[in-house]
Amino acid sequence: PTEPCPVEQLTAPSDMTVAEDACKDVSLPESAQMGLFWVQNADAVWLPCRLHSVSGATASLVSEDGEIFACSEKAVQGLEQVQDGQLDGVDDICSLSVVTEAALLHTIRERYARQAIYTRVSRILISVNPFASLSIYSPDHLRQYQAAKDSLDLPPHIYGTGHDARS
């Protein structure tokens, strides 16, 4: 594992927008220019942030919510890049091309926001308490999982774990 990048959260100006060519012609590798990176955050643990600008030896990254983070240009090279699919909130973490702590936590957070409280890691089920009633425990849902040939053919659910236990 790589050491965390020393990233400092800054206050965003209210009129800040992400400039599409703000990072062109800097010494970062071309793949990193305007890319998304995983940045450690006290609240979210990891946030996907876009490289916003490089001024001198300082790079600025901005989250989807407009939070700005700053670190050295060299430290950006040590940040993990967000890979395809890592922001989608997939059913099964194993379907990601690259699995990282950041991708796992972000997937669970994205699914929870959609009230999809179950996430699969192959046949292992991760559950996050929604602290609310959900309609996913109906007799129809139960019958759907009972009739399935393989629980992996259906979205992650505790009923799938029951199906696997009896198979």
Side-chain angles (χ1 to χ4, degrees), residues 81-96:
Q81 282 195 271
V82 175
Q83 303 296 316
D84 289 341
Q86 289 183 334
L87 301 179
D88 298 341
V90 296
D91 282 354
D92 188 345
I93 298 295
C94 292
S95 69
L96 296 173

PDB file of all heavy atoms in Angstrom, residues 81-96:
ATOM      1  N   GLN A  81      -5.368   6.676  -9.188  1.00  0.00           N
ATOM      2  CA  GLN A  81      -6.356   7.193 -10.130  1.00  0.00           C
ATOM      3  C   GLN A  81      -7.641   6.393 -10.021  1.00  0.00           C
ATOM      4  O   GLN A  81      -7.622   5.192  -9.761  1.00  0.00           O
ATOM      5  CB  GLN A  81      -5.827   7.125 -11.565  1.00  0.00           C
ATOM      6  CG  GLN A  81      -4.840   8.251 -11.862  1.00  0.00           C
ATOM      7  CD  GLN A  81      -4.608   8.402 -13.340  1.00  0.00           C
ATOM      8  OE1 GLN A  81      -3.733   7.761 -13.882  1.00  0.00           O
ATOM      9  NE2 GLN A  81      -5.402   9.246 -13.974  1.00  0.00           N
ATOM     10  N   VAL A  82      -8.764   7.066 -10.211  1.00  0.00           N
ATOM     11  CA  VAL A  82     -10.062   6.405 -10.251  1.00  0.00           C
ATOM     12  C   VAL A  82     -10.143   5.651 -11.574  1.00  0.00           C
ATOM     13  O   VAL A  82      -9.878   6.216 -12.631  1.00  0.00           O
ATOM     14  CB  VAL A  82     -11.211   7.430 -10.137  1.00  0.00           C
ATOM     15  CG1 VAL A  82     -12.557   6.755 -10.298  1.00  0.00           C
ATOM     16  CG2 VAL A  82     -11.124   8.175  -8.805  1.00  0.00           C
ATOM     17  N   GLN A  83     -10.480   4.383 -11.493  1.00  0.00           N
ATOM     18  CA  GLN A  83     -10.561   3.539 -12.682  1.00  0.00           C
ATOM     19  C   GLN A  83     -12.003   3.449 -13.176  1.00  0.00           C
ATOM     20  O   GLN A  83     -12.948   3.726 -12.436  1.00  0.00           O
ATOM     21  CB  GLN A  83     -10.044   2.126 -12.359  1.00  0.00           C
ATOM     22  CG  GLN A  83      -8.633   2.090 -11.821  1.00  0.00           C
ATOM     23  CD  GLN A  83      -7.613   2.578 -12.825  1.00  0.00           C
ATOM     24  OE1 GLN A  83      -7.656   2.219 -13.998  1.00  0.00           O
ATOM     25  NE2 GLN A  83      -6.684   3.418 -12.382  1.00  0.00           N
ATOM     26  N   ASP A  84     -12.172   3.018 -14.422  1.00  0.00           N
ATOM     27  CA  ASP A  84     -13.506   2.832 -14.990  1.00  0.00           C
ATOM     28  C   ASP A  84     -14.337   1.930 -14.092  1.00  0.00           C
ATOM     29  O   ASP A  84     -13.856   0.902 -13.614  1.00  0.00           O
ATOM     30  CB  ASP A  84     -13.419   2.197 -16.389  1.00  0.00           C
ATOM     31  CG  ASP A  84     -12.861   3.143 -17.431  1.00  0.00           C
ATOM     32  OD1 ASP A  84     -12.877   4.367 -17.185  1.00  0.00           O
ATOM     33  OD2 ASP A  84     -12.411   2.663 -18.482  1.00  0.00           O
ATOM     34  N   GLY A  85     -15.568   2.317 -13.867  1.00  0.00           N
ATOM     35  CA  GLY A  85     -16.498   1.515 -13.090  1.00  0.00           C
ATOM     36  C   GLY A  85     -16.461   1.754 -11.596  1.00  0.00           C
ATOM     37  O   GLY A  85     -17.386   1.368 -10.883  1.00  0.00           O
ATOM     38  N   GLN A  86     -15.413   2.382 -11.086  1.00  0.00           N
ATOM     39  CA  GLN A  86     -15.287   2.558  -9.640  1.00  0.00           C
ATOM     40  C   GLN A  86     -16.288   3.554  -9.065  1.00  0.00           C
ATOM     41  O   GLN A  86     -16.486   3.578  -7.861  1.00  0.00           O
ATOM     42  CB  GLN A  86     -13.862   2.968  -9.259  1.00  0.00           C
ATOM     43  CG  GLN A  86     -12.856   1.859  -9.410  1.00  0.00           C
ATOM     44  CD  GLN A  86     -11.467   2.262  -8.959  1.00  0.00           C
ATOM     45  OE1 GLN A  86     -11.101   3.436  -8.964  1.00  0.00           O
ATOM     46  NE2 GLN A  86     -10.681   1.278  -8.559  1.00  0.00           N
ATOM     47  N   LEU A  87     -16.909   4.358  -9.895  1.00  0.00           N
ATOM     48  CA  LEU A  87     -17.877   5.338  -9.406  1.00  0.00           C
ATOM     49  C   LEU A  87     -19.323   4.894  -9.642  1.00  0.00           C
ATOM     50  O   LEU A  87     -20.248   5.590  -9.257  1.00  0.00           O
ATOM     51  CB  LEU A  87     -17.653   6.695 -10.086  1.00  0.00           C
ATOM     52  CG  LEU A  87     -16.281   7.319  -9.894  1.00  0.00           C
ATOM     53  CD1 LEU A  87     -16.186   8.636 -10.645  1.00  0.00           C
ATOM     54  CD2 LEU A  87     -15.978   7.511  -8.425  1.00  0.00           C
ATOM     55  N   ASP A  88     -19.511   3.733 -10.250  1.00  0.00           N
ATOM     56  CA  ASP A  88     -20.835   3.301 -10.690  1.00  0.00           C
ATOM     57  C   ASP A  88     -21.704   2.685  -9.603  1.00  0.00           C
ATOM     58  O   ASP A  88     -22.904   2.544  -9.802  1.00  0.00           O
ATOM     59  CB  ASP A  88     -20.706   2.298 -11.840  1.00  0.00           C
ATOM     60  CG  ASP A  88     -20.033   2.910 -13.061  1.00  0.00           C
ATOM     61  OD1 ASP A  88     -19.984   4.151 -13.164  1.00  0.00           O
ATOM     62  OD2 ASP A  88     -19.536   2.136 -13.891  1.00  0.00           O
ATOM     63  N   GLY A  89     -21.130   2.252  -8.499  1.00  0.00           N
ATOM     64  CA  GLY A  89     -21.924   1.584  -7.478  1.00  0.00           C
ATOM     65  C   GLY A  89     -22.364   0.202  -7.934  1.00  0.00           C
ATOM     66  O   GLY A  89     -23.545  -0.138  -7.853  1.00  0.00           O
ATOM     67  N   VAL A  90     -21.429  -0.595  -8.397  1.00  0.00           N
ATOM     68  CA  VAL A  90     -21.726  -1.921  -8.941  1.00  0.00           C
ATOM     69  C   VAL A  90     -22.266  -2.869  -7.866  1.00  0.00           C
ATOM     70  O   VAL A  90     -22.017  -2.688  -6.680  1.00  0.00           O
ATOM     71  CB  VAL A  90     -20.470  -2.542  -9.591  1.00  0.00           C
ATOM     72  CG1 VAL A  90     -20.024  -1.726 -10.792  1.00  0.00           C
ATOM     73  CG2 VAL A  90     -19.331  -2.691  -8.597  1.00  0.00           C
ATOM     74  N   ASP A  91     -23.024  -3.892  -8.305  1.00  0.00           N
ATOM     75  CA  ASP A  91     -23.566  -4.900  -7.386  1.00  0.00           C
ATOM     76  C   ASP A  91     -22.462  -5.702  -6.703  1.00  0.00           C
ATOM     77  O   ASP A  91     -22.548  -6.028  -5.531  1.00  0.00           O
ATOM     78  CB  ASP A  91     -24.454  -5.907  -8.136  1.00  0.00           C
ATOM     79  CG  ASP A  91     -25.835  -5.382  -8.452  1.00  0.00           C
ATOM     80  OD1 ASP A  91     -26.183  -4.273  -8.008  1.00  0.00           O
ATOM     81  OD2 ASP A  91     -26.576  -6.106  -9.151  1.00  0.00           O
ATOM     82  N   ASP A  92     -21.434  -6.062  -7.487  1.00  0.00           N
ATOM     83  CA  ASP A  92     -20.377  -6.958  -7.006  1.00  0.00           C
ATOM     84  C   ASP A  92     -19.020  -6.269  -7.151  1.00  0.00           C
ATOM     85  O   ASP A  92     -18.588  -5.946  -8.268  1.00  0.00           O
ATOM     86  CB  ASP A  92     -20.401  -8.259  -7.810  1.00  0.00           C
ATOM     87  CG  ASP A  92     -19.481  -9.329  -7.266  1.00  0.00           C
ATOM     88  OD1 ASP A  92     -18.593  -9.026  -6.438  1.00  0.00           O
ATOM     89  OD2 ASP A  92     -19.646 -10.501  -7.676  1.00  0.00           O
ATOM     90  N   ILE A  93     -18.367  -6.067  -6.039  1.00  0.00           N
ATOM     91  CA  ILE A  93     -17.043  -5.422  -6.027  1.00  0.00           C
ATOM     92  C   ILE A  93     -16.065  -6.174  -6.924  1.00  0.00           C
ATOM     93  O   ILE A  93     -15.196  -5.568  -7.566  1.00  0.00           O
ATOM     94  CB  ILE A  93     -16.491  -5.349  -4.574  1.00  0.00           C
ATOM     95  CG1 ILE A  93     -17.403  -4.511  -3.683  1.00  0.00           C
ATOM     96  CG2 ILE A  93     -15.061  -4.850  -4.544  1.00  0.00           C
ATOM     97  CD1 ILE A  93     -17.511  -3.060  -4.044  1.00  0.00           C
ATOM     98  N   CYS A  94     -16.207  -7.500  -7.016  1.00  0.00           N
ATOM     99  CA  CYS A  94     -15.288  -8.298  -7.832  1.00  0.00           C
ATOM    100  C   CYS A  94     -15.418  -8.004  -9.323  1.00  0.00           C
ATOM    101  O   CYS A  94     -14.561  -8.407 -10.105  1.00  0.00           O
ATOM    102  CB  CYS A  94     -15.507  -9.788  -7.564  1.00  0.00           C
ATOM    103  SG  CYS A  94     -15.020 -10.272  -5.902  1.00  0.00           S
ATOM    104  N   SER A  95     -16.467  -7.300  -9.739  1.00  0.00           N
ATOM    105  CA  SER A  95     -16.613  -6.951 -11.147  1.00  0.00           C
ATOM    106  C   SER A  95     -15.754  -5.742 -11.534  1.00  0.00           C
ATOM    107  O   SER A  95     -15.612  -5.443 -12.722  1.00  0.00           O
ATOM    108  CB  SER A  95     -18.082  -6.676 -11.484  1.00  0.00           C
ATOM    109  OG  SER A  95     -18.522  -5.490 -10.859  1.00  0.00           O
ATOM    110  N   LEU A  96     -15.186  -5.053 -10.551  1.00  0.00           N
ATOM    111  CA  LEU A  96     -14.315  -3.912 -10.846  1.00  0.00           C
ATOM    112  C   LEU A  96     -12.981  -4.415 -11.403  1.00  0.00           C
ATOM    113  O   LEU A  96     -12.459  -5.431 -10.952  1.00  0.00           O
ATOM    114  CB  LEU A  96     -14.061  -3.084  -9.585  1.00  0.00           C
ATOM    115  CG  LEU A  96     -15.277  -2.412  -8.964  1.00  0.00           C
ATOM    116  CD1 LEU A  96     -14.910  -1.769  -7.632  1.00  0.00           C
ATOM    117  CD2 LEU A  96     -15.863  -1.385  -9.917  1.00  0.00           C
TER     118      LEU A  96
END
